[in-house]
Amino acid sequence: VTNGKGKGIVVATGMGTRIGRIAQLIAGDNGGAQKKKCLCLPDMSANATPLQNSLEKLGGRIGIMAIGVCVIIFIIGVAMDRTDPSNPDSPAWLYMILIAVTLAVAAIPEGIPLCVTISLSIGCKDMVSKNVLVRKLAAVETLGSASVICSDKTGTLTEGKMTMVN
């Protein structure tokens, strides 16, 4: 924008902005002690990047869908009295539990974290080739989720006028 008037709504300031989040990730500041989420596991949700939050939601949805499909297949298999072809005397429910657990294990997408890490590493490599210093991979991901950054070379927001005001 080079001319005109406009109104803006401030939605975050300081460390609450995307740039503040990047600074926090680079500095390694976690904002205090970690909360306990489950027994001895620390709650890392305060330090989670937007991509990590999205992947966690995706994993939850895939898990719920996989459990639903496995339950449906178990019910249909027991209703149709499907038995083990190698052992026809075994009960149908036992064979269908084996099938349902096998399907649940196969539905876990263990390749997603690897693909995300490789993609972020390629992005870091491209940034390094353009002389951008990248210290932490999480900072690259957070910077990638920012859609607009308005600042000048000193990091302050400007109006586009070079005038002195008393």
Side-chain angles (χ1 to χ4, degrees):
V1 178
T2 58
N3 197 357
K5 294 184 178 182
K7 289 185 179 181
I9 299 173
V10 177
V11 294
T13 59
M15 295 305 272
T17 62
R18 294 283 183 191
I19 299 296
R21 186 82 177 114
I22 292 170
Q24 189 177 27
L25 286 171
I26 290 173
D29 183 21
N30 61 2
Q34 296 174 352
K35 297 179 278 182
K36 297 287 183 179
K37 186 174 185 178
C38 174
L39 298 176
C40 63
L41 299 175
D43 182 14
M44 301 300 290
S45 60
N47 293 337
T49 61
L51 180 62
Q52 289 172 331
N53 291 334
S54 298
L55 286 175
E56 188 173 336
K57 288 178 185 176
L58 175 66
R61 288 180 186 153
I62 289 173
I64 289 171
M65 287 181 5
I67 290 171
V69 168
C70 291
V71 167
I72 291 171
I73 288 185
F74 174 79
I75 292 170
I76 291 172
V78 170
M80 294 178 67
D81 198 32
R82 294 286 179 184
T83 58
D84 187 0
S86 62
N87 187 9
D89 296 333
S90 66
W93 63 268
L94 186 61
Y95 179 65
M96 290 314 298
I97 285 179
L98 178 67
I99 296 295
V101 169
T102 303
L103 285 174
V105 170
I108 298 171
E110 62 258 354
I112 288 179
L114 177 65
C115 292
V116 170
T117 304
I118 290 172
S119 300
L120 288 175
S121 298
I122 291 171
C124 281
K125 182 180 142 197
D126 292 344
M127 290 174 73
V128 167
S129 68
K130 295 178 182 176
N131 297 325
V132 176
L133 177 64
V134 179
R135 283 194 252 175
K136 292 192 178 186
L137 199 59
V140 174
E141 185 269 312
T142 305
L143 183 60
S145 67
S147 57
V148 177
I149 300 173
C150 302
S151 65
D152 64 4
K153 64 183 178 182
T154 61
T156 57
L157 299 176
T158 58
E159 191 178 353
K161 296 179 182 177
M162 298 295 287
T163 58
M164 195 83 155
V165 179
N166 284 336

